[in-house]
Amino acid sequence: MDAQLLTQIPHLEEIAHRGAFSGTPEKHTENFLERSSRENKILPSLEDAIRAAGLKDGMTISFHHHFRGGDHVVNQVVEKLAEMGLKNLTLAASSLAAVHAPLIRHIKSGVITHIETSGLRGELAEEISRGLMDCPVVFRSHGGRAAAIRSGELHIDVAFLGAPSCDPYGNANGYSRDDEHMACGSMGYARTDAEYADKVVVLTNHLVRYPNAPWAIPEDNVDYIVVVDDIGDPKGIMSGATRYTKNPKELLIAQTAAQVIDAAGYFYDGFSMQMGSGGASLAAARFLREMMLERNIRCRFALGGITGQIAAMHEEGLIDRVLDVQSFDLDAAMSLKNNRFHHQISATYYASFLSAAAVDQLDFVILSALEIDTDFNVNVLTGSDGVIRGAIGGHPDTAAGASLSVVVAPLT
């Protein structure tokens, strides 16, 4: 070693002689199974995880809705919070469904005093519409929610995220490598929560060996893991909002929508699209498929909530890439697992207005509606009686971003 260099850097000669890594802990000689049983993020119970996360009265908790009507995480966690005596919590779920009716009791008892979400359905929506809560519910679109979390406008203290598979270090995914019946598919909305929440608790009923790759949520975003018996019913992700319609009225609307897209000049080789979750908008994809086969053209990418119908068109070679923020049925969930170019994306990537988002690259989007006025203002949240009946979702995000927005609804 250069003598002049040794004189310029204090203690360098000593380090050179004894080795740069001397003084570090001795190398572990355990095998992986021994090491993972000692070093992991698994806690014995949900209550232990809540205490470890430091959750206190007045804080904000979040959940994802990828199990849709089959979700069992929200009710399970809030019930435990009530047992522990926590109060005045803000519930910031990406969306809430009819299955979450038990929250009514926890709102009345003061466990939950504020809700921020993209949608409400069922008895919970009915009761809130009638004045159940003193504090108004804050509704945000999926992109708006992602932006609010990223900017700090919506600060999440503890995120509770259900995962159909997770390893002992927190790599979590929406499907399992060895159980195709336990899946929710893409965990796109959960990914933003995992990235920005102060603490992240993953609830899983399927612990797998490290590494659970590929993953939706990486281990460095996860603080604690709780193994529970039940996180949800995969069959519940398929709801009435994603029905495969045979209604002649909806089929006529869908066919007309496909013709409008063609006439507007957005149906070309390499187009991009997103389909809504209503019967007519989903049916439009069937007519577009027929036109694609007739003209020998392909879709560059399909975006958003993905159905088995879109996944089948991808496997058929009609759609090059699928960007999946939420899988709407089990066929889509299995496609995500099996197809290399079916990607799961975060809500931020999908639609956040704080940065360039995938919705801004759409040629067209087909969306459904509850009400449309003569100036084309669209309501997707409430019925004509003012009762909350749905979700904002990605509706305004895609309508603003796409070159062409087609809204389909029966005129009756």
Side-chain angles (χ1 to χ4, degrees):
M1 183 171 289
D2 189 289
Q4 185 178 3
L5 181 62
L6 286 175
T7 61
Q8 291 174 348
I9 303 178
H11 310 299
L12 182 58
E13 185 172 8
E14 178 186 351
I15 294 172
H17 285 302
R18 64 184 170 88
F21 295 101
S22 62
T24 58
E26 292 184 7
K27 177 179 174 63
H28 293 306
T29 57
E30 306 154 298
N31 64 34
F32 172 73
L33 290 178
E34 293 170 335
R35 200 159 54 243
S36 63
S37 66
R38 179 174 55 81
E39 301 172 355
N40 59 58
K41 299 176 182 178
I42 302 171
L43 293 180
S45 70
L46 179 56
E47 182 170 340
D48 288 316
I50 292 167
R51 295 192 187 284
L55 189 61
K56 294 180 174 61
D57 291 353
M59 286 187 169
T60 298
I61 56 176
S62 78
F63 302 86
H64 69 76
H65 72 289
H66 293 289
F67 277 104
R68 295 168 67 81
D71 175 67
H72 295 168
V73 172
V74 173
N75 294 337
Q76 184 177 172
V77 171
V78 177
E79 182 68 32
K80 179 57 66 175
L81 297 176
E83 288 178 16
M84 296 173 66
L86 286 150
K87 296 283 186 179
N88 193 31
L89 298 172
T90 294
L91 192 158
S94 53
S95 196
L96 294 167
V99 71
H100 299 124
L103 290 175
I104 295 170
R105 175 165 50 89
H106 299 301
I107 293 170
K108 290 179 177 178
S109 68
V111 177
I112 302 297
T113 54
H114 183 44
I115 291 177
E116 302 201 10
T117 183
S118 73
L120 292 169
R121 290 182 170 87
E123 187 181 355
L124 176 63
E126 295 270 352
E127 289 295 319
I128 288 176
S129 297
R130 296 190 186 103
L132 174 65
M133 305 189 73
D134 293 330
C135 185
V137 174
V138 174
F139 288 96
R140 290 188 178 92
S141 69
H142 290 321
R145 181 178 185 271
I149 292 172
R150 180 179 171 187
S151 68
E153 180 184 344
L154 173 55
H155 176 82
I156 298 170
D157 293 293
V158 184
F160 295 92
L161 308 177
S165 69
C166 185
D167 66 35
Y169 294 89
N171 297 294
N173 212 343
Y175 56 81
S176 169
R177 291 174 295 191
D178 52 9
D179 185 358
E180 66 180 33
H181 300 294
M182 189 62 231
C184 67
S186 174
M187 293 179 65
Y189 299 125
R191 293 175 80 164
T192 300
D193 296 53
E195 185 175 359
Y196 290 99
D198 287 349
K199 297 291 181 182
V200 174
V201 178
V202 168
L203 288 79
T204 187
N205 61 345
H206 193 55
L207 197 67
V208 300
R209 292 182 297 177
Y210 182 92
N212 186 26
W215 52 78
I217 298 172
E219 60 186 48
D220 56 299
N221 284 165
V222 176
D223 297 287
Y224 309 108
I225 301 161
V226 181
V227 181
V228 296
D229 294 331
D230 180 26
I231 59 171
D233 180 3
K235 295 177 183 176
I237 69 173
M238 183 73 173
S239 71
T242 55
R243 67 193 186 282
Y244 192 85
T245 185
K246 295 182 180 178
N247 186 316
K249 174 184 65 180
E250 291 186 331
L251 291 175
L252 179 60
I253 294 171
Q255 185 176 30
T256 305
Q259 292 169 348
V260 167
I261 291 165
D262 185 24
Y266 292 103
F267 192 66
Y268 61 95
D269 191 27
F271 70 91
S272 57
M273 66 176 178
Q274 177 169 334
M275 299 289 141
S277 60
S281 55
L282 289 175
R286 290 150 60 185
F287 292 103
L288 291 174
R289 175 184 174 275
E290 293 174 4
M291 293 162 61
M292 292 169 73
L293 290 170
E294 288 174 3
R295 304 183 194 182
N296 193 30
I297 64 175
R298 295 157 62 102
C299 172
R300 182 163 37 95
F301 72 87
L303 176 66
I306 300 300
T307 63
Q309 184 180 19
I310 295 297
M313 291 173 68
H314 173 57
E315 292 177 351
E316 195 177 1
L318 294 176
I319 300 174
D320 291 340
R321 300 288 191 278
V322 178
L323 304 181
D324 188 346
V325 73
Q326 178 181 20
S327 303
F328 276 145
D329 54 43
L330 293 179
D331 288 341
M334 287 302 97
S335 172
L336 179 65
K337 174 182 176 181
N338 297 324
N339 291 312
R340 177 184 177 190
F341 294 116
H342 185 158
H343 303 273
Q344 56 184 317
I345 60 172
S346 72
T348 301
Y349 183 106
Y350 170 51
S352 172
F353 57 76
L354 292 182
S355 59
V359 293
D360 299 325
Q361 311 303 320
L362 285 170
D363 281 316
F364 62 84
V365 60
I366 300 180
L367 301 165
S368 54
L370 291 174
E371 291 182 312
I372 309 168
D373 70 18
T374 55
D375 292 321
F376 299 142
N377 296 299
V378 180
N379 171 27
V380 294
L381 190 60
T382 62
S384 57
D385 54 3
V387 175
I388 301 164
R389 301 195 183 281
I392 296 172
H395 200 290
D397 304 317
T398 53
S403 298
L404 175 68
S405 302
V406 180
V407 179
V408 293
L411 183 63
T412 56

